[in-house]
Amino acid sequence: MKLQARPLDIPYEFTFTISRNSHSTTTTVIVELTHSENGQTFVGMGEAVPSRFYGEDAESVLAFYDRLNREQVLADLTPFDIQKLQARFEALDGNMAAKSAIDMAFYDLQGKILNRPVWQLWGLDPAKAPKSSYTIGIADLDTVKHKTEVALSRGYDVLKVKLGSPNDVELFETIRRMAPHPEITMRVDANAAWDVDDAIEICQLLHENHVEFVEEPLKLTSSPDDYAKLKENSPLPLMADESCHTLKDIPWCAQAFHAINLKHTKTGGLTEALRMVHAARAHNLTIMLGGFGETSLSITAFAQLSPLVDYCDLDGALLMAEDAYEGITFTGSRFTLPNRPGLGVIPRAKVGA
Ligand SMILES: [Mg+2]
């Protein structure tokens, strides 16, 4: 099969700020795998969503693909050779976002060849997909109010609020007043911002205000004792994101957290994410599917797993000013998986074209 890739710059609708950084645009890499069999040619699509926090950017992704082409790593594979692909990728360190786009393109090809959506190849029930949250990033009070108004006016009834700034309590209380319980479900993501004693205090406040769970509360330099202390004292379920990457992290996460947030950029694709879903269940962890700023191409690829999980945070494309692909479709916070073959993603006609 043949691999082609190109970078795609996407502007955010609002500058997106979390506890450690701020972005107004992001760059992903679009992949096309061309495969022919029985006289027919199929194109599988994928999207790499590199994160500098995890050591990748568009340049490193494109360099990884040059290497795959130079060393003919994919040339003799068919879209059904997932085990061989995994073995070859295990021999190449890191580059999880880059690997993920190839992995999802393999599944896209499988579905297109068999003329079935990927979720159907896996025997899943699309009606089981949970609602997705919409994220309110950190900003000054007026901007946060505006973003919350916009979110509510678009019918989103599950909000994820980014905290980890000096005015956490004021930001949180403002949003909660505008988005009252029980009409609006609220989740919080601290992106590893807090010391253990601060975390216990804030988790108490969030619990009193009916927050559903808190993502990655503790600084990543925290000790095992800190994690144990928080788990013992937090009235809120704790979810691992920055602490959970691949299958081998599951046992530790089951000790320190109640839930995990999977992202294809961390897992290296759908194959590893699927393994993690089942391992997490065996460890009594609940599961969320998350993402970064990306298009509906990779969001829809990851959403193929949504009938298997408890929570979704698949708003990556909703946070961008434009979306180059059509895939899952939203009605408020509820989304529908496409019924088209493969990942079910098609390019969106350019506005004004
Ligand atoms: Mg997070």
Side-chain angles (χ1 to χ4, degrees):
M1 75 176 59
K2 197 173 123 207
L3 160 65
Q4 287 174 303
R6 62 183 170 83
L8 178 70
D9 293 323
I10 333 170
Y12 276 95
E13 182 180 13
F14 303 108
T15 296
F16 191 70
T17 302
I18 66 166
S19 62
R20 61 178 165 263
N21 58 41
S22 193
H23 297 285
S24 54
T25 64
T26 194
T27 305
T28 67
V29 178
I30 303 296
V31 162
E32 286 185 1
L33 293 182
T34 308
H35 170 76
S36 298
E37 61 177 58
N38 301 327
Q40 266 188 296
T41 297
F42 299 91
V43 178
M45 296 193 297
E47 181 179 22
V49 185
S51 159
R52 287 209 174 87
F53 183 72
Y54 293 114
E56 293 181 83
D57 57 20
E59 289 70 38
S60 73
V61 169
L62 291 165
F64 182 78
Y65 294 153
D66 281 344
R67 181 179 174 189
L68 295 185
N69 279 333
R70 224 174 30 247
E71 298 178 10
Q72 303 233 321
V73 174
L74 306 178
D76 65 326
L77 297 182
T78 81
F80 296 93
D81 289 326
I82 298 285
Q83 194 172 17
K84 284 182 186 167
L85 175 70
Q86 291 281 311
R88 290 179 192 183
F89 275 178
E90 269 167 37
L92 305 169
D93 272 346
N95 297 286
M96 302 307 267
K99 289 172 180 171
S100 174
I102 305 286
D103 180 81
M104 68 179 80
F106 267 58
Y107 288 104
D108 192 31
L109 281 169
Q110 287 184 10
K112 284 173 174 165
I113 291 167
L114 297 171
N115 201 29
R116 297 278 184 207
V118 171
W119 55 260
Q120 198 174 60
L121 297 183
W122 291 343
L124 302 181
D125 175 2
K128 294 270 185 209
K131 286 180 177 182
S132 172
S133 44
Y134 178 85
T135 306
I136 311 279
I138 293 172
D140 62 77
L141 206 55
D142 284 343
T143 309
V144 160
K145 280 184 191 165
H146 174 62
K147 287 184 188 181
T148 307
E149 269 166 23
V150 169
L152 296 175
S153 73
R154 290 177 188 171
Y156 302 130
D157 60 3
V158 186
L159 299 184
K160 174 167 138 176
V161 176
K162 294 283 192 183
L163 294 182
S165 75
N167 57 341
D168 272 348
V169 173
E170 190 183 20
L171 286 181
F172 170 76
E173 288 182 337
T174 301
I175 299 170
R176 181 83 280 191
R177 267 196 301 277
M178 296 174 69
H181 169 80
E183 293 84 355
I184 309 294
T185 301
M186 196 180 282
R187 305 163 177 171
V188 162
D189 187 357
N191 288 109
W194 301 325
D195 292 323
V196 64
D197 292 325
D198 290 342
I200 292 170
E201 199 180 311
I202 298 173
C203 285
Q204 189 62 47
L205 171 83
L206 301 180
H207 177 65
E208 284 160 14
N209 284 278
H210 308 283
V211 165
E212 193 175 28
F213 55 77
V214 61
E215 231 179 284
E216 205 71 36
L218 293 182
K219 289 183 176 161
L220 296 174
T221 50
S222 301
S223 70
D225 284 351
D226 291 335
Y227 284 98
K229 185 178 176 185
L230 179 61
K231 196 174 182 190
E232 216 176 283
N233 291 286
S234 171
L236 270 189
L238 310 171
M239 181 180 282
D241 179 0
E242 286 87 340
S243 292
C244 186
H245 309 108
T246 57
L247 188 62
K248 66 178 174 21
D249 297 317
I250 297 285
W252 151 250
C253 286
Q255 279 183 48
F257 298 90
H258 305 90
I260 55 170
N261 183 356
L262 300 177
K263 294 175 179 170
H264 61 84
T265 288
K266 300 186 295 179
T267 65
L270 302 179
T271 306
E272 179 80 347
L274 192 53
R275 291 184 194 118
M276 293 176 77
V277 164
H278 297 307
R281 289 284 176 229
H283 284 80
N284 291 318
L285 288 159
T286 54
I287 305 157
M288 181 160 85
L289 299 183
F292 294 95
E294 52 200 286
T295 75
S296 281
L297 168 47
S298 50
I299 291 281
T300 303
F302 212 44
Q304 304 292 320
L305 292 162
S306 59
L308 292 171
V309 305
D310 307 284
Y311 315 104
C312 281
D313 181 31
L314 294 175
D315 62 348
L318 303 177
L319 299 172
M320 314 313 291
E322 49 194 67
D323 187 359
Y325 294 91
E326 195 178 318
I328 59 170
T329 48
F330 279 86
T331 308
S333 295
R334 177 81 50 203
F335 66 85
T336 306
L337 282 159
N339 214 1
R340 293 181 286 262
L343 300 175
V345 175
I346 49 176
R348 200 180 285 273
K350 269 258 175 215
V351 178

